[in-house]
């Protein structure tokens, strides 16, 4: 049983309206009322009532009339992208991404900026406000529904705080949601980075349909999943922690309790450290971890053997880390994304594609691919959560400030 | 979005009827129409219509009238347990369990029998038919809805076959569902053992409410989960494989590609082998793996240090194996069950309760407990799937022969 509650009629009407709006939004090329009936299996009368309501609020427009086969011409319905907007913010420990998403899922404008050095959350709140104003240039302020923030976990959803972000030193006592609400005046949602990225992947018309596992590579590593059509959030909205997963029994790491785990073998910081230890990078480079990581990737891109070997070994560890989840969940699609992945994909995607299928207990086929949203997924998802909150009667249930 | 489909009225009526029946079934002490309204949030008129339909088909009876507070007396509604029955069969590689489940979730009668030596599936089908007849003694044959089978995975749900059961040699080409249908004449469902066990745990009035992770210990090891109120099945109904999860970097196993994984460190066969290697069991005992395992558990029960240490070490490996799943899924409850668990619980439950909470990234509290259904869970769940198939408009979607 999904729910102990039944459905009375008013709730049903809301639910059906969301289903119809979703069906229209997913077809940016336009969709006829007849097609909507086929997709949603609702009666023509219900479709007619709902589309009339959606048009009266300006969310949906009638477009061109098309003739298909011998039937009478059909009028195509399309979402009006500029009817509503939301701001999406992704706080990666290194990079701040701010964008404006329209109702059709289009990214109106985007800015990236180095994340302010910790501990400086006060400056960060002001910076986010300024960047949000910037991405909303040319956007009618009355169409902005709110601001969604994707941040590293664990997060305290009830209090709207980052709980104890391992890579954002000094952010523990920041009531980020309340502070951003005060600074911007908008409704503000806070969600975990990987959950936002999965939401973006599911919500976007460029994203992945059906159920999938999502591997997120940022300054940290995490995973998420769409299961039964729903983004899995966990009982405290903190689903997705995978860093402690044991992936290898190589005994090269000095600390035995931490060694051989996903976060010690695959993260940029670890790759740089290992590159320095093995002489692939000059030892001095390791002090600028971010620059050294970029250098390591550049070396691999130009065919440096040691660098390529290092990235491919980390790719094998990634495979060992996600295989147990794919086995347990029995999923046929793995999507990889997050801010660091575009740098690694050329070297690690083939490794995942080659090594994972034989590691799966119950199936022979697996699709492994890079998210088309690339490093924008989490920010897009954060904005999509805001649109969902106001347009769906069954939103994710996040608390809004 | 949960679904691309909307809800038309006839489907809604079915859905609400299931919600009401579920609410009545979960309260064997009886529930009034007013309480049903509070639980399901349906209108009094809808509750009245649905309960009238349920009573007219004999599924629900009116019971005693009670007076609570100052209101007028309320008539309690109860499920009529003997209105429908289903047979549940659990094929563990060692033990066959057959039982009859009534509509209220009561186990009417149960039999256990050693699983026929492989490869002898033909004999097994006849045996299951005979045992099913036996558990249905005194049951009105017209009330039997069908037979559900829980079997080791992976399974081929479409074909109704065991796919390549690692511990049931000779069952690869057996069309178990069709054979059982032919032998018994009943509708037959086939499902994976761990999924059936999770279904039993969720369905039973003695079971676990809310979302949970379920660790299944039989001749093999598996895990399952209820997520968002739904038993997670996976895209091919083969969710739950966890045996390959890397849990330790002890280098004691001769085969490096298989060593240190859940199925090499925690299963009865492995425990017996290790006990023989370390001299806890006499080497000759290891030839009768099942008897030797029972002996090992008896020794631990009476305080034999080497035996206790061996079981507790395996308990630590279990903790290391489920911790990544609890972290990824963010669940606050772990239920442990399956046919082997009652033997191990006294030694391993405290280890799980002690070691798991500090291994969790996002939370401090975790409930770890033994399933109250003990070794009957999978057979109860297999029968519950049959009842659900006929009484719910949203069954698990398994193919029925």
């Amino acid at each position: 049983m999904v729910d102990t509650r039944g459905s009375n009629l008013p709730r049903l009407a809301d639910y059906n309206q969301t289903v119809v709006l979703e069906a229209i939004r997913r077809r940016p090329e336009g969709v006829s009322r007849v097609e909507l009936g086929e997709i949603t299996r609702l009666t023509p009368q219900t479709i007619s009532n709902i589309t009339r309501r959606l048009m009266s609020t300006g969310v949906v427009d009638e477009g061109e009339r098309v003739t298909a086969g011998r039937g009478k011409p059909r009028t195509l319905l399309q979402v009006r992208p500029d009817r509503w907007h939301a701001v999406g913010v992704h706080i990666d420990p290194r990079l701040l991404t701010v964008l404006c998403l329209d109702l059709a899922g289009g990214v109106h404008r985007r800015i990236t900026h180095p994340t302010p050095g910790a501990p400086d959350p006060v400056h960060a709140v002001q910076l986010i406000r300024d960047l949000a104003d910037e991405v909303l240039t040319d956007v009618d302020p009355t169409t902005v529904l709110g601001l969604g923030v994707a941040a590293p976990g664990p997060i305290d959803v009830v209090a709207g705080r980052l709980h104890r972000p391992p890579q954002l030193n000094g952010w523990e006592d920041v009531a980020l949601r309340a502070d951003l609400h005060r600074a911007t005046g908008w409704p503000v949602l806070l969600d975990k980075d990987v959950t936002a990225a999965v939401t973006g992947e599911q919500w976007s018309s460029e994203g992945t349909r059906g159920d999938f596992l999502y591997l997120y590579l940022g300054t940290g590593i995490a995973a998420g999943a769409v299961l039964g059509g729903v983004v899995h959030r966990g009982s405290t909205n903190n689903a997705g922690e995978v860093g402690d997963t044991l992936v290898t029994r190589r005994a090269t790491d000095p600390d035995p309790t931490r060694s051989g785990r996903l976060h010690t073998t695959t993260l940029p910081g670890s790759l740089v450290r290992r590159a320095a230890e093995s002489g692939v990078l000059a030892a001095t480079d390791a002090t600028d971890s971010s620059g050294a990581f970029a250098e390591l990737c550049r070396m691999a891109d130009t065919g440096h053997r040691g660098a390529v070997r290092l990235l491919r070994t980390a790719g094998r560890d990634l495979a060992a880390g996600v295989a147990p989840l794919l086995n347990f969940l029995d999923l046929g699609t793995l999507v990889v994304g997050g801010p660091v992945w575009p740098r690694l994909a050329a070297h690690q995607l083939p490794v995942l594609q080659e090594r994972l299928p034989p590691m799966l207990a119950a199936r022979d086929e697996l699709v492994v691919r890079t998210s088309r949203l690339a490093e924008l997924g989490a920010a897009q998802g954060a904005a999509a959560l805001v649109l969902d909150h106001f347009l769906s009667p069954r939103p994710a249930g996040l608390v809004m400030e």
Side-chain angles (χ1 to χ4, degrees), chain A:
Chain A
M1 293 303 310
V2 175
D3 205 323
T4 62
R5 285 167 300 177
S7 270
N8 294 308
L9 289 183
R11 277 184 62 208
L12 179 67
D14 281 349
Y15 176 70
N16 284 339
Q17 179 167 325
T18 313
V19 168
V20 171
L21 177 56
E22 183 77 4
I24 300 172
R25 200 180 58 71
R26 287 223 184 257
R27 286 155 193 82
E29 69 282 9
V31 59
S32 72
R33 288 175 179 79
V34 172
E35 289 166 316
L36 283 175
E38 289 160 4
I39 295 163
T40 63
R41 307 198 195 167
L42 290 168
T43 62
Q45 184 58 49
T46 304
I47 295 284
S48 172
N49 291 341
I50 289 175
T51 52
R52 195 181 316 119
R53 273 203 305 275
L54 289 172
M55 287 168 61
S56 74
T57 57
V59 170
V60 164
D61 269 346
E62 282 192 335
E64 53 182 327
R65 289 163 67 88
V66 294
T67 310
R70 284 175 301 178
K72 63 176 184 176
R74 296 169 178 184
T75 306
L76 295 186
L77 296 166
Q78 286 174 305
V79 158
R80 235 186 80 192
D82 60 353
R83 180 64 189 90
W84 297 116
H85 298 86
V87 177
V89 177
H90 176 200
I91 306 176
D92 178 76
R94 298 202 183 283
L95 205 63
L96 201 58
T97 305
V98 181
L99 55 77
C100 168
L101 194 73
D102 67 35
L103 192 54
V107 175
H108 182 72
R109 202 180 269 244
R110 56 176 267 204
I111 303 175
T112 54
H113 191 282
T115 301
D120 194 2
V122 174
H123 172 213
V125 165
Q126 293 166 350
L127 178 65
I128 290 170
R129 184 198 57 198
D130 294 344
L131 296 176
D133 284 343
E134 207 173 323
V135 296
L136 289 174
T137 316
D138 308 328
V139 171
D140 174 355
T142 65
T143 67
V144 179
L145 286 174
L147 181 145
V149 183
I155 59 170
D156 182 336
V157 166
V158 176
R161 290 169 192 266
L162 309 193
H163 199 38
R164 35 181 195 217
Q167 319 223 21
L168 276 171
N169 188 21
W171 288 67
E172 294 82 3
D173 288 320
V174 184
L176 188 61
R177 195 177 58 211
D179 289 352
L180 276 169
H181 172 60
R182 247 192 314 275
T184 64
W186 293 314
V188 177
L189 274 179
L190 172 65
D191 205 359
K192 199 166 154 166
D193 45 14
V194 63
T195 311
V198 176
T199 303
E201 184 70 25
Q202 188 199 36
W203 203 89
S204 165
S205 56
E206 296 170 283
T208 304
R209 296 287 88 85
D211 287 3
F212 59 89
L213 185 72
Y214 186 101
L215 178 61
Y216 176 93
L217 291 161
T219 307
I221 184 168
V226 171
L227 305 174
V230 180
V231 178
H232 177 71
R233 313 188 62 83
S235 56
T236 71
N237 286 289
N238 276 304
E241 301 292 326
V242 297
D244 275 336
T245 304
L246 195 61
V247 292
T248 170
R249 291 183 292 132
R250 286 192 303 271
T252 52
D253 210 296
D255 176 358
T257 61
R258 311 295 287 169
S259 71
R261 300 182 185 274
L262 263 183
H263 58 191
T264 56
T265 61
T266 64
L267 291 182
S270 313
L271 294 175
V272 166
R273 197 166 50 245
R274 194 166 303 158
E277 282 162 9
S278 64
V280 169
L281 284 178
T284 47
D285 288 339
T287 54
D288 168 21
S289 160
S290 179
F293 177 65
E295 172 62 15
L296 175 66
C297 294
R298 261 193 304 272
M299 288 165 68
D301 291 345
T302 57
H304 183 288
R305 281 203 183 175
V308 168
R309 195 180 316 122
L310 216 140
L311 295 190
R312 291 183 61 89
T313 302
R316 285 201 288 278
D317 290 340
L318 282 180
V322 294
L325 293 179
L326 289 166
N327 276 325
F328 171 73
L329 295 170
D330 181 22
L331 294 174
T333 305
L334 172 66
V335 180
V336 195
V340 165
W341 180 244
R343 285 260 174 76
L344 299 169
H347 305 283
Q348 296 187 336
L349 188 67
V351 179
L352 292 174
Q353 287 169 330
E354 179 198 321
R355 290 186 72 93
L356 272 172
M359 298 169 84
L360 300 190
R363 60 167 68 239
D364 309 314
E365 285 179 38
L366 177 76
V367 174
V368 185
R369 65 178 198 76
T370 290
S371 168
R372 285 203 197 88
L373 281 60
E375 62 272 44
L376 293 187
Q380 283 191 49
L385 280 162
V386 172
L387 295 177
D388 265 357
H389 184 91
F390 287 101
L391 299 173
S392 162
R394 296 187 178 182
L398 293 173
V399 181
M400 184 162 272
E401 199 79 44

